[in-house]
Amino acid sequence: MLNFTHLNAATVDEAASLLAKYNGQAKLIAGGTDLLGLLENRCLPEDKAPKYIINLKTVDGLEYIKVDGNFLKIGALAKLHDIAFDTNVLKYAPALAAAARKVASWQIRNMGTIAGNICQGTRCWYYRATDNRFDCSRKGGSTCFALTGNMREHSVFGGTKGCFAAHPSDTAPALVALGATIVTNKASYAADKFFDGFKDTVLAADEIVTEIQVPAVTDTKQAFCKAAVRGQIDFAMADVAVVLKVSGGNVSDAVIVTNCASTLPIRLTAAEDAIKGKSLTDANIEAAAAAGVAKAQTINETVTYKKAVVEGLIKRALAACK
Amino acid sequence: MYEEYNITEPYSGESYPQSIYHNLKTDELKIVGKKSLRRVDSDAKVTGKLKFGDDWCFPNQTYLKLKRSIYPHAKFTVDAASVAAAKKIPGVLDVILPEDVKGINVSNSYNAVIMQGEVFNQGDPVCAVVATEEAICDDAIEAIKINYTQLPFVLLADDAKEDKDKDGNPYAVHGDTNLAATYLQAGGKEERGDTAKGLAAADKKIEKHYATETKKNTAIRDHAGIEPWVATTVWDNGDIVVYPSTQAPYTYVSTIASALKLPRSRVRCIMGGLGTGFGRKLQCYRESILAAWYTNKTHLPCRAFVEAEGMFNAGGKQCCQHHDIKIGVKNDGTITALVDESYAGVGTTVTGVTNNSISIFDYIWKTDNIKLVSKDYWTNMPYNQALRCVQHPIPTTFMGMAMDEAAEAINMNPADFLVKNMRDESGVGAHPSYPKYDMGTNAMPDMLKELIARSGFKNKWKGWKTPMAVDGSKRRGIGIGVHACHHGALSNPESANIQVLVDGSFRLSIGSMDQGTGSRTALMAMAAEELGITFDKIKMSQLDTAHVSESRTPGGSTVTRGSGTAAILAARDAKRQLFALAIAAKLIDAKEPTELEMANNEIYVKKDPSKKVAVATVCGKMQGTHGFGPIVGYGHYATARTTLEHREWNCDVVEVEVDVDTGELKILKVWSDCDPGRAIFPEGAWSQFAGGQLLFLSLSSYEGMVKDLATGYSLNADYQNYKIATNCECPDWDLNLYECPDPYGPFGAKGICEPQSAAVSPAIANAIYNAIGVRLYTTPFTPENILEALGKA
Ligand code: SF4
């Protein structure tokens, strides 16, 4: 375990000012299910490892899930388990409820928070190797070791700045598909502008997610599908979230998002375009799924299989909206 | 006085002590085989009171950890300045350097307790640190710098067998060639019969290559035990007392005594609970020897702890295997020839990996022509170790897959093909290569038919490449597999003693460990039944090597048979002495102990059971004036036999669902039969059976340790990324203990768990084929491999 100083924050403002004070040397912790592993295995180079851990569990009032006006509002510290079974989430954002329910195990869902889930770091085997065994591009080095090694867990949709690590969040694609807004102490981001394939998120060093807003509408059909080796306890091989509007038997609008097989949640616009204006027949679904993965690149044969996985999940998710 | 109950095995002339109740049916017995028996240590376990290896703590406790190589092959020196700096960290007590322990080897010179200037595997130790806290060890390990000069290495058996390194340059791990050993497994000969002729006479031939590794993936398997290695060593007035997590307490005694050049009498091992063995804890590990070395030097208690990553990298593995299988079949299903030529990459230190791995085929499959040859090749990988069975499950998986393909070649129902081709002989003459040897009972023919009927296989299986059901991209399939194994039997030597206490209770001590299996309960049940006492009158202590004579390391499901026989002998000896005391004390009307027997906590006259006396009354006289001191019954069982043991059988039918779009596999239902001989402790036997099935299902469907092929570094050396089946992967079990008592095992018992669990793997493979119409030739059956077989990856 790396040595660090643990500081409890009483408010978001205090946490933000601590982040600013220890500029770049501090990290936030809430559930801890992501960060602790990184610290314990000393995965980061010394100059990039956090010296201060700022605890958000001591911040009150950020665990809410409520409907406020036209939005479903979820506090940053709401637990994944609570989101999965909340009546309003189930009503307005069933794809998000399904995604939260499919994260890891009961124990982790009881500890893990929604903000932690979308802000978590990459699980790249090389990045996470003990004692910073691979000082790769994402850490400031010059090489991506995965590219010439084993990319079983990586992106099949190309890299970001030479890094091919998959973004591991299950809830992120659901939020992007739902057109959610991520609110921080400094700004608001459309969910599809929040993620960064090279540095996880666009957050500044002293920026903290405070709330997630999802449009509270009930006129969509939604689905979230995850494929993993052992079922949900594993990080996904791929996720697909779909939000459709259907009128007169045809899809009038479609958002199809994939994650865990890409460096950040991405909209599969070719699949969206292929299904828009069409009915959800098997043939149309298959065509949309094929279009969705047409741009998949298999730069390393160990990741090729994920193309089929994403295609299969698009089919599964669209079929679930029938 | 009980010699008439011994059973002599005709081939070897070996005499097996047997219970006087051996021939009774289970419902005629009082304790053995009763469903009401409950695990004796369950309360202590669920309340957290049972002490495991990591729970021992002593005043002035110190902690020891190894610094390990990050390279698979390199020369190294330890940077002296960094060692000096590490020693200055508050709490650091010592840094143990290679030169401090030169000459202390675990087995051979490639396996020094600390490597002497050259490492051959990632995880090999380069130095050790002792500190007042475990976390301080980590800080010191981090502070010490190692200067490495990287050297060529080889990971894959396919490269190793060509005597090449990973880049294709000439290279051998040790000496001139990587070929470490060749084994002839058809009765010790290259072949039995004439396989070339057999293949020529076949109507159809199967010729396929199967492997657990591919060019993309190393996929060796870890034992994945929850409890890590830990051992605490304590100085006790000149003795070294070790509290380890091990299957092998006597190996600890002998290894530490020899490493430290101490008489064995000065080393003692005391066991608490053990949280899994699975074969991985069969040796005394380097860390423990170093802890003992430090304790011997300083007289301070020292705990060596190996974290999960260290166990993944440095611990024994089930190595990779390749099998070239040829089968010749006649259209009527007769196997005209069977050939399995296999090879394995075995790591750097241990040969014998593939020895016996395929010999099982010699006595499972009916054929006159069989060739079984296997080869071990050195690689820069973790050493091979027996792990959830020696090496049978992988060959069983591949052979089961090949037999399914053979059945398809002649368009025969796979269940009928198996029924036709299982050897059905039992007893003497059952083994074609050892015809004089008594192979004991053979449950397979009837058990297999029962399984086929119970599972409804023949109705559910709709034909080749015809799934049971199709639902969108999901295909449901059914498959069948068989397994036999000769483990779970040989156990040599085994010691037991039974102390008779003055209040009429008994304390059993046995030289084997309960690894969490419930063997303690089973052994107590056998001893109590033989003694004729109720179960509440017997207790069993944790193992202390100072109290029981040297016994064999329990591994390979041997405890019930081996230790059970020793327990029966000890019970006999205790009874004989008690009867002599009862007669001497004139507590019963008899002249010779042979006139007496015990039942219901009473000693009675066999010819007139109305003449009896309470056992407690007799025990009360033990320290009286009749010349009888405290009674201890001794039992010691050692067999001289070195040939094969009896067979143990298992067959499975499995139903799976495969998503042909995503490659996801769900194992829905498992019907399995296994033959435990007689189930001594049915609850424990059932949980061993289910646990064994789950672990073998896991081995073939999920598990594989991935090395980065360019650097040799382990990429998934943790329990998140190395995937073992969890409770969520448990299928719907329909498990049947098909009891077929063994003539030689105590009360008819055979070993349980390891020998009877591997049939699930070929059954899964064949069910996948039934579902998707495409065969797999590599394990594990992950989505990645399934999609590749489907041409989608
Ligand atoms: S994929 Fe990214 S994180 Fe992984 S090794 Fe390459 S650069 Fe590093």
Side-chain angles (χ1 to χ4, degrees), chain A residues 279-304:
Chain A
S279 60
L280 290 168
T281 61
D282 287 352
N284 290 339
I285 287 174
E286 258 175 48
V293 295
K295 288 207 175 130
Q297 309 165 0
T298 57
I299 46 169
N300 175 316
E301 60 172 3
T302 55
V303 74
T304 313

Side-chain angles (χ1 to χ4, degrees), chain A residues 42 123 125-126 129-131 133-134 149-150 152 227 230 234-235 237 301-302 305 308-309 312 315-316, chain B residues 71 138-139 142 216 309 659 661-662 664 702 706 708 711 713 715 720-721 723-724 729 783-784 787 793:
Chain A
R42 303 174 197 244
R123 309 302 305 190
W125 286 349
Y126 295 87
T130 306
D131 292 335
R133 169 71 178 83
F134 299 102
N150 193 306
R152 188 169 96 184
R230 285 178 299 182
D234 285 324
F235 283 97
M237 296 186 284
E301 60 172 3
T302 55
Y305 77 101
V309 176
K315 279 164 66 177
R316 195 184 295 172
Chain B
Y71 297 114
D138 290 335
D139 289 344
E142 177 78 4
K216 284 199 273 188
E309 189 175 352
D659 189 313
D661 283 347
T662 61
E664 290 163 290
Y702 303 106
V706 181
D708 180 56
T711 58
Y713 192 84
L715 294 172
Q720 181 201 319
N721 291 301
K723 300 178 197 307
I724 56 171
E729 279 67 59
E784 200 183 345
L787 288 170

Side-chain angles (χ1 to χ4, degrees), chain A residues 122-128 134-148 151 154-155 160-166 197-198 263:
Chain A
T122 177
R123 309 302 305 190
C124 170
W125 286 349
Y126 295 87
Y127 186 89
R128 291 245 171 188
F134 299 102
D135 195 17
C136 68
S137 319
R138 199 177 178 106
K139 297 178 187 174
S142 54
T143 315
C144 170
F145 293 88
L147 196 55
T148 50
M151 287 184 63
H154 287 70
S155 163
T160 305
K161 294 188 190 165
C163 171
F164 295 84
F198 193 71
T263 59

Side-chain angles (χ1 to χ4, degrees), chain B residues 380-397:
Chain B
N380 293 99
M381 294 280 266
Y383 64 94
N384 171 76
Q385 181 158 33
L387 188 159
R388 301 185 224 162
C389 185
V390 183
Q391 295 293 343
H392 296 155
I394 291 298
T396 277
T397 308

Side-chain angles (χ1 to χ4, degrees), chain B residues 701-764:
Chain B
S701 303
Y702 303 106
E703 297 182 43
M705 195 167 139
V706 181
K707 289 263 186 189
D708 180 56
L709 295 178
T711 58
Y713 192 84
S714 308
L715 294 172
N716 61 341
D718 62 78
Y719 288 115
Q720 181 201 319
N721 291 301
Y722 180 91
K723 300 178 197 307
I724 56 171
T726 69
N727 284 348
C728 298
E729 279 67 59
C730 270
D732 180 8
W733 301 116
D734 183 335
L735 305 179
N736 185 25
L737 293 164
Y738 194 97
E739 293 178 273
C740 199
D742 181 80
Y744 307 112
F747 290 94
K750 300 180 180 179
I752 179 87
C753 188
E754 172 182 308
Q756 302 111 332
S757 299
V760 70
S761 300
I764 293 169

